Amino acid sequence: MALLPASAATFAVLGAAVFKPLYVYSGVSLAACYYRLRDKVSHPEFDELEIKDFLYENETVKKYFHDQTSYVIDQHQEYDKFNIEDYPEYSESALARFFNVDCNTTSGYLKMCDVETDARMTVHFKTMPWSDGKYNCSHPFMFTDLWAEINCKGVYEKIVFIDPKKVNKKIFIIL
């Protein structure tokens, strides 16, 4: 949805610039279109080791899972449906409403099992892009919600690693 307005805006901005030939306008618009499609067609990927670092620092997880005997059974991550009202810093901006139809937030899970203890764990997470502010570049996946359910021989435990209410970073959306 945002592809056509972005391409049209790129075309209009370059129209006022020094470049006069039509092939330059077309080439820049096609390049913007290509990079936008390339980024949205690919599946989101998270760093599994970053999640495992959170897990193995917790004493409850250490009780049931060991690094050498646990393995990943299943994992899934997908882009969330965008709702600009969830982000007040951008919901008032007409420019953000016009160009941003997605915000690259994701949610997913990671299912793990341990061979020795026969414990099973489902780790649920949500991510968002954020900027470090120094270089104004986006880091693709910062975990904003991370919690796990552990089930071991009928014993159920829920552990919260990252509470979304305590995350103090704001989402990074390029306008």
Side-chain angles (χ1 to χ4, degrees):
M1 287 291 199
L3 186 60
L4 294 177
S7 297
T10 303
F11 186 78
V13 167
L14 289 177
V18 179
F19 305 110
K20 296 284 180 187
L22 182 63
Y23 66 87
V24 173
Y25 300 142
S26 303
V28 171
S29 295
L30 285 173
C33 177
Y34 167 74
Y35 285 111
R36 179 73 176 172
L37 286 174
R38 182 196 67 177
D39 291 344
K40 290 309 296 172
V41 172
S42 64
H43 295 289
E45 295 177 4
F46 62 94
D47 188 9
E48 187 178 305
L49 293 176
E50 189 174 352
I51 290 181
K52 286 187 175 183
D53 286 343
F54 278 110
L55 296 177
Y56 294 127
E57 288 176 358
N58 188 298
E59 293 301 321
T60 308
V61 174
K62 285 182 184 177
K63 184 169 60 173
Y64 296 111
F65 288 86
H66 308 287
D67 192 27
Q68 286 78 23
T69 59
S70 65
Y71 59 94
V72 175
I73 298 173
D74 189 18
Q75 67 183 26
H76 180 73
Q77 184 179 14
E78 64 183 19
Y79 289 107
D80 295 333
K81 185 166 173 51
F82 179 63
N83 183 8
I84 199 164
E85 302 301 330
D86 294 341
Y87 305 100
E89 59 267 25
Y90 294 103
S91 63
E92 300 298 322
S93 169
L95 193 63
R97 285 186 177 277
F98 184 69
F99 283 109
N100 291 308
V101 294
D102 58 22
C103 61
N104 293 328
T105 58
T106 66
S107 55
Y109 63 85
L110 182 72
K111 293 189 178 190
M112 296 178 66
C113 184
D114 192 85
V115 177
E116 283 183 357
T117 62
D118 197 31
R120 286 167 177 71
M121 175 169 47
T122 304
V123 181
H124 302 273
F125 60 88
K126 289 187 178 186
T127 67
M128 73 173 186
W130 67 282
S131 174
D132 59 4
K134 184 175 181 182
Y135 300 108
N136 203 24
C137 64
S138 174
H139 301 281
F141 300 119
M142 181 185 91
F143 292 103
T144 59
D145 189 7
L146 184 64
W147 57 280
E149 300 170 306
I150 298 176
N151 189 357
C152 180
K153 300 177 184 170
V155 177
Y156 174 81
E157 295 192 36
K158 181 177 177 180
I159 306 164
V160 176
F161 297 101
I162 298 174
D163 188 7
K165 295 174 186 157
K166 294 182 180 177
V167 175
N168 61 358
K169 303 269 187 208
K170 297 197 182 289
I171 191 167
F172 180 72
I173 300 177
I174 300 173
L175 294 179

